[in-house]
Amino acid sequence: MAVEQPTRTPVTQSGDQTRIHNIGYRTYDGPRLGRSYATRSLYSQSLRGAYGLGRSVKSKVLPMLLFVVMCVPAAIMVAVAVATKAKDLPVDYTRYAIIMQAVISLYVASQAPQSVSRDLRFKTVPLYFSRPIETADYVRAKFAALASALFLLTAAPLLVLYVGALLAKLDFADQTKGFAQGLVSVALLSLLFAGLGLVIASVTPRRGFGIAAVIAVLTISYGAVSTLQAIADAQSIDGGGSADAITWIGLFSPVTLIDGVQSAFLGASSAFPGGVGPSNGEGVVYVLVTLGLIAASYGLLMRRYRKVGL
């Protein structure tokens, strides 16, 4: 028969067994740089990332290639103007971005998802908000970085045109006025395209989906609006439609919005069918819609990242 053995209770040694190990950590006694420094750092990092700086060589190829593609036609125009001793440039400063809108749309489609989709995919947004930075700081930094990158992309060829015009000894006052008008136009375009691109890209953490969606919104909307304007122009010529319809249809595409604003207030020639852009009164509507879209984009980004940061 088995005999049950009594269980032994472990004997505890008397005295405190706690040990404190010094592994070399020290408290930080330096300056706390705070929210503004963190926001500036995020802006700088996002702006550099928009051109692949600080990233792999593969990430630099597309943005740098698009930058070159934007500037090469301007350089060719300058060379032709200098060689032929032309009295004016082949293209107005305000028209250049409209002509190159496909390249600009491709740049936005490639860089807007890069700016925000990776943070969403790897769930690093809450980590940003665990530091002094807040939702508004994050959104402002990303918005400003992409808008600045777009402004560099669109203003660089205008600078090439301006310098070339001065080398060709064209009228200084006219060229300076045209260059300033072109800068105002591309600044407005940069804000609008950056806001729309970031809103679309922030909907999905998948970069590929974001690229396709941005291209669809910017490119397909322009194609659809241009087609409808051409149909309205043909009907107005035949007497079956109103020429005013061409102007109001232009409100439904980001590219035609910028075209309408600059033709109404910056003295630009319009790309609308017939070359007739909106009047000053209609141009006010264009300005209000453009500013409203920029403000709405910022508001939607704020709402989106408040949810993500929870």
Side-chain angles (χ1 to χ4, degrees):
M1 178 190 294
V3 180
E4 185 177 352
Q5 299 292 334
T7 44
R8 296 184 173 223
T9 14
V11 180
T12 24
Q13 297 180 358
S14 59
D16 190 3
Q17 299 299 312
T18 305
R19 294 288 185 271
I20 299 176
H21 298 276
N22 182 7
I23 55 177
Y25 287 121
R26 292 187 297 176
T27 58
Y28 176 72
D29 297 325
R32 303 287 177 176
L33 300 176
R35 285 176 55 190
S36 59
Y37 179 82
T39 305
R40 288 195 304 272
S41 299
L42 181 59
Y43 165 79
S44 173
Q45 182 265 340
S46 301
L47 178 57
R48 286 165 53 84
Y51 284 98
L53 302 178
R55 300 173 60 203
S56 64
V57 176
K58 182 181 176 182
S59 302
K60 297 179 177 65
V61 173
L62 184 59
M64 293 299 183
L65 179 62
L66 293 176
F67 186 86
V68 171
V69 170
M70 282 291 295
C71 293
V72 165
I76 293 173
M77 292 176 191
V78 164
V80 170
V82 172
T84 59
K85 297 181 180 179
K87 295 182 179 180
D88 206 350
L89 292 172
V91 173
D92 293 337
Y93 294 97
T94 49
R95 291 285 303 134
Y96 192 86
I98 303 299
I99 294 172
M100 303 296 290
Q101 57 86 22
V103 180
I104 300 170
S105 298
L106 184 57
Y107 180 86
V108 177
S110 63
Q111 298 309 312
Q114 186 276 136
S115 181
V116 295
S117 294
R118 294 196 309 166
D119 290 341
L120 294 171
R121 184 166 69 253
F122 297 117
K123 303 186 188 308
T124 56
V125 176
L127 295 179
Y128 282 110
F129 299 158
S130 67
R131 311 307 295 171
I133 194 171
E134 295 184 359
T135 306
D137 303 323
Y138 181 89
V139 171
R140 280 196 295 265
K142 292 292 183 178
F143 200 130
L146 186 57
S148 300
L150 274 170
F151 184 75
L152 291 174
L153 181 77
T154 53
L158 301 188
L159 182 61
V160 172
L161 288 174
Y162 181 64
V163 172
L166 297 183
L167 292 176
K169 298 181 180 179
L170 301 182
D171 186 73
F172 176 79
D174 287 345
Q175 297 305 316
T176 302
K177 179 183 177 182
F179 179 58
Q181 290 173 337
L183 290 181
V184 173
S185 174
V186 297
L188 194 60
L189 181 146
S190 300
L191 288 171
L192 179 60
F193 276 44
L196 294 176
L198 288 175
V199 167
I200 297 167
S202 67
V203 172
T204 173
R206 304 272 185 172
R207 186 180 177 186
F209 291 161
I211 292 173
V214 174
I215 290 176
V217 170
L218 297 181
T219 306
I220 295 178
S221 66
Y222 178 66
V225 165
S226 299
T227 303
L228 291 174
Q229 285 180 324
I231 294 172
D233 181 54
Q235 289 181 346
S236 66
I237 292 174
D238 296 338
S242 171
D244 290 340
I246 298 173
T247 300
W248 300 121
I249 291 171
L251 292 171
F252 296 95
S253 165
V255 178
T256 51
L257 269 176
I258 299 299
D259 191 330
V261 171
Q262 65 183 19
S263 61
F265 297 111
L266 298 177
S269 58
S270 177
F272 289 3
V276 180
S279 63
N280 287 344
E282 294 165 338
V284 172
V285 178
Y286 271 70
V287 171
L288 292 176
V289 172
T290 303
L291 296 178
L293 282 175
I294 295 172
S297 300
Y298 180 79
L300 289 172
L301 285 171
M302 288 288 295
R303 184 176 179 182
R304 167 67 172 154
Y305 281 98
R306 281 198 184 102
K307 291 182 179 179
V308 172
L310 293 177

